[in-house]
Amino acid sequence: MDFDDLIGLPVKLFSEFPEIKEKWQNRLRYLLVDEYQDTNACQYQVLKLLTGVRGQFTAVGDDDQAIYGWRGADIENLKKLPTEFPNLKVIKLEQNYRSTVTILKAANNVIANNEKLFEKKLWSELGYGDPVYVTTCRDNDAEAEGVIMKLQAHKFEHRGKFKDYAILYRSNHQARTFEEYLRDHRIPYLLSGGKSFFDKAEIKDITAYLRLLTNEDDDPAFIRAATTPKRGIGAATLQVLGTYAGERHVSLFEAAFEEGFAHRVQARQLEPLLEFCQFINRTQDRASKEPAHQVLPDLLKAIDYETYLYDHEEERTAQTRWTNVCDFANWLNKKGEEDGKTLVDLTQSIALINMLDKQVDENYDAVQLSTLHAAKGLEYKHVFLVGVEEGILPHRESLDPGKIEEERRLMYVGITRAQFSLHISYCERRKVAREFVPCEPSRFIDEMGKEDVRFSGGKQATPPDKATGNARLDAMKAMLAGNKP
């Protein structure tokens, strides 16, 4: 059975065998259903069949957080409750214990544009709080850089921790640029709702070569680089090499050049292995002396990674993965030019960051990167809601009237993840497949209203508040002087 069977087969059982249905109705006299807005049609049938005429159940749900229509959840289940269960008693939980008044006002304004199943208005006793900040950015690079700079400044000013901050976005692909800037500034982060750009197989393949250039004794990197793309070095050869290296207590790379190993394999096995090691030696010399942007393109060309991808994947997948490699290479080249670093220098930085990434426990102090769907049910002290543009949020495939309400609920979920501060940003243009396309701010930004919203960048920029600016400057000076503001 799969999960759907566990729902569908009981419906079939109870529908066809009334005596079994009655047995279970008498055994389960009260039901509690959580996240009711996320139930589908079949789950609704289970509820009706189990509760029967007594209808003794409690359903906890929020029609404003119904964001899973794309995977079968049906908001009609909420809509039908009052008519199909006339004795239904509705208890509204309108006090919000998480967010400030300003954040809740923005959320209420946005969701008011949807048809309401149950009227409610969230309120809070946590005080007014900071205004909501909306920033217009030149492009997605400027957006990522701006968010990271603001995050660092805000953390310093408020003596906070990295885990107090979340960067939320509509789609997984938006995380990449933010990951790059976070790594540039050595800011620890955790990513949920998707796979880290740096954990993708193609990025790990190229990183294996870079690690080997930096340290030829890195055995895991040696094995990955020697076999991807394939170059005639088989598993049998590597097994003999591993055994020999273990006996001699040396690395795989060093063992490959020893006479003792040469006597254990045939010439046709040894030749491609030595050719690979000599290639690493030649490239290693360049990687430690020449600028990264001169060495990396030659490395990618020499290993012919692009051809390898197109030979092993469908064209569309190969194109996506090769684009990832090119983006990674461009990032390294740009970083090398800006910082005057060689490929070896850059690889040491990547290795350090990857090592820190693995030291994760429940108290790990890291910025949270997450899709809006994965962030549902969570809360963060300070939220950066990014890429709030037409075509992204709302998504370009959800612009018809039937789907736009779910996108609005997704915006509502994003806003209400924030406890104390909310920063929203969008781009004037966005780089897509190496070309810039013009962008428009999301309609949801207008729907938040102008009151208690501060705009910066672009035409809507709010004139600076001199008193607030001076107070912030005084607070920063006090902190730098070692006094508590």
Side-chain angles (χ1 to χ4, degrees):
M1 292 196 188
D2 63 16
F3 183 77
D4 289 336
D5 290 331
L6 297 177
I7 306 296
L9 291 178
V11 170
K12 181 177 171 64
L13 182 71
F14 297 154
S15 301
E16 295 180 3
F17 299 93
E19 66 279 11
I20 297 176
K21 178 182 70 173
E22 286 171 20
K23 173 191 168 183
W24 285 98
Q25 283 177 348
N26 290 323
R27 185 167 175 179
L28 303 173
R29 301 183 73 85
Y30 302 95
L31 293 177
L32 171 63
V33 186
D34 196 15
E35 300 288 0
Y36 188 80
Q37 76 281 352
D38 297 332
T39 57
N40 59 34
C42 199
Q43 288 167 329
Y44 184 71
Q45 287 303 313
V46 170
L47 176 71
K48 284 193 70 178
L49 288 164
L50 279 176
T51 55
V53 292
R54 281 194 299 269
Q56 292 181 317
F57 68 92
T58 300
V60 184
D62 182 358
D63 52 313
D64 292 334
Q65 294 193 52
I67 59 173
Y68 292 112
W70 51 277
R71 69 181 191 194
D74 190 355
I75 199 170
E76 288 294 315
N77 291 353
L78 263 175
K79 195 179 284 187
K80 288 187 290 192
L81 278 181
T83 53
E84 298 205 4
F85 297 93
N87 295 326
L88 181 77
K89 181 180 180 182
V90 177
I91 301 170
K92 297 182 182 180
L93 305 176
E94 295 179 296
Q95 182 174 2
N96 180 289
Y97 297 89
R98 174 191 299 152
S99 306
T100 62
V101 171
T102 303
I103 291 168
L104 291 183
K105 188 187 289 187
N108 285 332
N109 286 345
V110 169
I111 207 66
N113 291 275
N114 272 7
E115 181 187 348
K116 304 296 285 183
L117 297 186
F118 301 96
E119 272 303 329
K120 67 179 186 299
K121 193 101 171 176
L122 296 183
W123 59 277
S124 170
E125 290 182 341
L126 296 178
Y128 228 67
D130 292 343
V132 174
Y133 297 96
V134 177
T135 304
T136 307
C137 306
R138 184 182 67 255
D139 53 37
N140 31 333
D141 269 325
E143 181 183 39
E145 185 176 20
V147 165
I148 304 313
M149 297 303 286
K150 282 177 187 170
L151 188 154
Q152 285 182 300
H154 193 278
K155 175 181 175 291
F156 175 75
E157 187 179 343
H158 294 82
R159 299 175 186 248
K161 296 181 178 179
F162 284 122
K163 63 183 178 182
D164 296 338
Y165 297 84
I167 300 172
L168 307 181
Y169 38 81
R170 173 65 173 82
S171 301
N172 282 316
H173 68 85
Q174 292 171 259
R176 178 188 304 173
T177 313
F178 293 95
E179 284 193 75
E180 290 174 357
Y181 277 92
L182 286 165
R183 285 177 179 250
D184 277 352
H185 291 84
R186 297 197 175 186
I187 296 174
Y189 68 90
L190 296 172
L191 186 137
S192 64
K195 196 174 194 179
S196 169
F197 176 69
F198 294 89
D199 282 335
K200 293 181 186 294
E202 58 271 23
I203 304 303
K204 284 188 167 183
D205 288 343
I206 304 307
T207 303
Y209 280 90
L210 303 184
R211 283 166 50 195
L212 199 55
L213 294 176
T214 305
N215 174 20
E216 67 269 17
D217 294 335
D218 186 336
D219 286 348
F222 178 93
I223 293 169
R224 187 164 192 146
T227 55
T228 313
K230 293 191 182 303
R231 50 174 49 82
I233 303 171
T237 306
L238 288 173
Q239 188 172 358
V240 175
L241 180 64
T243 302
Y244 178 81
E247 292 168 2
R248 295 274 294 126
H249 304 290
V250 296
S251 68
L252 298 175
F253 188 89
E254 187 178 339
F257 288 103
E258 293 198 357
E259 192 69 28
F261 169 68
H263 289 305
R264 296 195 184 185
V265 291
Q266 298 177 22
R268 62 181 176 80
Q269 291 175 290
L270 183 62
E271 187 180 343
L273 185 63
L274 288 179
E275 190 179 315
F276 168 70
C277 293
Q278 286 157 0
F279 164 70
I280 293 297
N281 270 335
R282 290 193 304 272
T283 312
Q284 192 176 41
D285 187 56
R286 290 185 62 197
S288 62
K289 296 174 184 175
E290 298 177 26
H293 69 271
Q294 292 179 8
V295 183
L296 190 53
D298 290 346
L299 172 67
L300 292 174
K301 188 175 180 183
I303 66 175
D304 203 12
Y305 194 78
E306 183 179 12
T307 302
Y308 160 75
L309 288 176
Y310 279 92
D311 285 347
H312 289 80
E313 303 280 4
E314 293 181 1
E315 185 174 354
R316 188 173 177 182
T317 304
Q319 186 176 4
T320 300
R321 294 184 66 188
W322 177 242
T323 299
N324 289 339
V325 170
C326 292
D327 288 346
F328 180 54
N330 290 338
W331 176 63
L332 286 172
N333 291 338
K334 181 182 172 186
K335 196 163 167 47
E337 287 190 69
E338 287 174 353
D339 301 342
K341 288 187 174 181
T342 65
L343 202 53
V344 167
D345 296 331
L346 293 173
T347 305
Q348 287 169 340
S349 298
I350 294 169
L352 175 64
I353 294 165
N354 283 336
M355 184 176 68
L356 292 173
D357 282 354
K358 290 179 175 65
Q359 298 174 1
V360 176
D361 60 35
E362 59 183 18
N363 296 314
Y364 188 53
D365 186 23
V367 175
Q368 183 71 53
L369 269 63
S370 176
T371 61
L372 289 168
H373 285 99
K376 184 175 173 287
L378 302 177
E379 59 186 40
Y380 309 95
K381 289 183 179 178
H382 311 288
V383 166
F384 289 85
L385 183 50
V386 301
V388 187
E389 300 150 23
E390 289 292 308
I392 295 181
L393 183 64
H395 194 272
R396 64 180 177 276
E397 293 178 9
S398 302
L399 297 178
D400 63 82
K403 294 180 179 178
I404 198 71
E405 289 203 346
E406 181 158 322
E407 293 293 298
R408 187 174 283 112
R409 292 193 289 268
L410 198 54
M411 178 73 173
Y412 174 84
V413 165
I415 293 172
T416 52
R417 295 315 90 197
Q419 292 177 273
F420 303 120
S421 75
L422 175 64
H423 302 257
I424 293 172
S425 58
Y426 67 92
C427 299
E428 292 180 317
R429 61 177 192 165
R430 184 169 288 275
K431 196 170 188 180
V432 179
R434 302 187 189 181
E435 290 185 2
F436 283 102
V437 295
C439 303
E440 292 292 328
S442 169
R443 67 193 73 187
F444 303 146
I445 292 176
D446 271 344
E447 290 176 2
M448 289 192 308
K450 297 272 193 304
E451 190 182 357
D452 304 316
V453 180
R454 299 290 177 268
F455 295 88
S456 61
K459 299 171 186 175
Q460 294 190 81
T462 307
D465 181 337
K466 191 173 181 181
T468 303
N470 288 339
R472 181 163 293 179
L473 185 60
D474 290 341
M476 293 286 280
K477 285 177 181 175
M479 286 188 73
L480 290 170
N483 301 318
K484 190 171 181 180

